[in-house]
Amino acid sequence: MHALTHGTTSAPTSVTVPPSLSLPLIEAAFPRQLHPYWPRLQEKTRTWLLEKRLMPADKVAEHADGLCYTDLMAGYYTGAADEVLQAIADYSAWFFVWDDRHDRDIVHRRPAAWRRLKDRLHTALDRPADHLSHEDPLVAGLADSVRRLYSFLPGTWNARFSRHFHAVIEAYDREFRNRTEGIVPTVEDYLELRRLTFAHWIWTDLLEPSAGLELPDPVRKHPAYRKAALLSQEFAAWYNDLCSLPKEIAGSEVHNLGISLITHEDLTLEEAVLEVRHRVEECVTEFLAIEKEVLRLADGLDDGTVRGKELGAAVMACLGNMRNWFSSVYWFHHESGRYRVDSWDDRSTPPYVSNEAAGEK
């Protein structure tokens, strides 16, 4: 029996998936879930993007719902309390906007603007309350979202989340240098960096406030739990690479598993696509195997004590949401306007981004 969280509803989709990107095992073995708060979530995150000036009003009106950022989170953290899911969804929307600013700063050769933003984000992450009214909407938006995230669990969780996100910011800086200098990382270097730029451990950390409990280190670092979490994130990052390869080739990108395989392993485009797909499929089958071990871990934690019962239930909830990540990521890539490159006027310029150096005075 699969570990699924409570309070979710099935959300079948009628989206057609291209054969090259179709994963029948996901469609068959990972039923899609959607948090019942989703309609309100979508509305409130749209309002938050406007209030925080993270996207121009016309971009929000035309693109926010179609980008499906809230759908992605509502399909992942399905057992979260409404206020927890709202904070996560706003942070996730902020993350996508930040990713777009990073991309535009690279495309338009704005290294000074990027360095200034990077330093400000580091500072706001440590002292969010001091940056809620910052002149740069991205800095203020991060401050607001992490301040809310920090309110759900003890300071030990906050410190871990902060440490993990500082590493993500620095990884984005390394990607900035690679892209501006035209450096395609080797496959191994790329895989290591991708775990940071995709924020593997951030999304894994957020499983805990969604479950309502900080997991102790022996549980969180248990080999089976850690491997299951990593597989769910690797699947997401590599499937993203598979789906975004046309967009990133059009934008002269250097950060994509397929591009590293082509450059350093002498694969053709067709061979690289097949290799990335193979790695994606392996993540799915390996997760199905390790999932059984995590279920046994949860059963063993429930030793009849109140604490044991809470820990066992939290691990079950986290595992259920790891499982949700597969289906949520899969359908997101076929529903979100973020990947419909063929419909853009300019394949290298997403229609939902602003090219201005936002936040500059």
Side-chain angles (χ1 to χ4, degrees):
M1 181 176 180
H2 299 308
L4 298 176
T5 50
H6 297 291
T8 60
T9 55
S10 295
T13 181
S14 59
V15 172
T16 300
V17 180
S20 62
L21 302 174
S22 175
L23 297 175
L25 184 56
I26 291 290
E27 297 183 27
F30 292 78
R32 193 176 188 189
Q33 306 294 319
L34 193 67
H35 198 294
Y37 180 65
W38 170 75
R40 183 71 173 138
L41 182 74
Q42 184 182 53
E43 176 187 338
K44 291 191 73 172
T45 295
R46 191 191 317 123
T47 300
W48 186 78
L49 287 168
L50 282 170
E51 289 177 348
K52 298 301 175 184
R53 298 178 294 118
L54 287 164
M55 291 176 67
D58 61 329
K59 301 285 187 186
V60 171
E62 187 174 357
H63 298 290
D65 289 354
L67 289 169
C68 299
Y69 296 159
T70 54
D71 306 49
L72 179 63
M73 294 298 112
Y76 184 14
Y77 301 102
T78 58
D82 291 355
E83 64 272 19
V84 173
L85 183 61
Q86 188 67 64
I88 292 173
D90 290 348
Y91 170 74
S92 172
W94 173 90
F95 202 115
F96 279 111
V97 175
W98 175 51
D99 186 74
D100 292 334
R101 170 91 75 86
H102 176 260
D103 178 71
R104 293 297 94 186
D105 280 348
I106 292 167
V107 169
H108 295 290
R109 302 285 174 173
R110 300 190 291 240
W114 163 251
R115 285 194 298 270
R116 186 161 41 248
L117 174 61
K118 174 179 74 78
D119 292 344
R120 288 170 172 175
L121 294 179
H122 277 305
T123 304
L125 184 59
D126 288 334
R127 297 193 301 276
D130 296 342
H131 294 79
L132 296 174
S133 301
H134 196 279
E135 63 185 21
D136 187 331
L138 264 180
V139 178
L142 177 66
D144 180 73
S145 58
V146 299
R147 177 183 59 88
R148 289 152 61 201
L149 291 173
Y150 287 169
S151 71
F152 301 122
L153 291 179
T156 46
W157 183 91
N158 297 347
R160 174 171 22 114
F161 180 93
S162 176
R163 183 173 68 254
H164 286 161
F165 197 64
H166 279 302
V168 170
I169 295 169
E170 286 304 306
Y172 263 69
D173 190 49
R174 293 202 296 277
E175 180 179 336
F176 190 100
R177 292 197 300 272
N178 283 347
R179 288 182 60 189
T180 54
E181 296 173 16
I183 298 170
V184 178
T186 65
V187 172
E188 289 307 311
D189 286 347
Y190 173 76
L191 294 177
E192 180 182 353
L193 186 58
R194 184 63 161 147
R195 291 181 184 121
L196 293 170
T197 58
F198 197 82
H200 282 22
W201 303 118
I202 288 293
W203 308 118
T204 300
D205 287 338
L206 289 167
L207 292 168
E208 294 167 65
S210 300
L213 188 70
E214 181 183 21
L215 296 178
D217 281 356
V219 174
R220 188 171 52 84
K221 296 180 179 179
H222 187 281
Y225 181 91
R226 192 167 178 84
K227 183 176 181 181
L230 181 61
L231 286 168
S232 74
Q233 294 299 320
E234 298 280 53
F235 165 82
W238 299 344
Y239 192 68
N240 176 268
D241 280 1
L242 189 64
C243 294
S244 62
L245 188 56
K247 166 190 167 189
E248 293 181 344
I249 288 176
S252 300
E253 255 278 21
V254 297
H255 269 241
N256 184 292
L257 179 54
I259 294 171
S260 287
L261 287 164
I262 291 167
T263 303
H264 295 286
E265 304 293 333
D266 294 325
L267 270 60
T268 65
L269 175 59
E270 293 75 15
E271 290 169 339
V273 167
L274 288 174
E275 174 60 21
V276 176
R277 182 184 173 92
H278 172 69
R279 291 177 185 236
V280 165
E281 290 171 335
E282 276 195 329
C283 287
V284 182
T285 55
E286 288 182 26
F287 178 85
L288 290 171
I290 200 69
E291 182 180 38
K292 298 179 177 65
E293 293 186 36
V294 184
L295 288 170
R296 287 194 290 272
L297 170 65
D299 288 342
L301 289 168
D302 188 354
D303 58 3
T305 65
V306 171
R307 176 63 172 170
K309 186 179 180 66
E310 288 178 344
L311 277 177
V315 170
M316 288 286 285
C318 290
L319 178 62
N321 283 341
M322 290 177 201
R323 163 174 271 276
N324 288 339
W325 194 223
F326 287 87
S327 58
S328 192
V329 163
Y330 181 73
W331 293 114
F332 168 71
H333 280 85
H334 304 296
E335 294 172 347
S336 174
R338 196 171 178 88
Y339 304 100
R340 295 186 191 139
V341 182
D342 291 337
S343 68
W344 301 352
D345 292 336
D346 177 354
R347 287 170 62 87
S348 65
T349 305
Y352 48 82
V353 302
S354 172
N355 279 311
E356 287 77 24
E360 297 301 301
K361 293 288 184 180

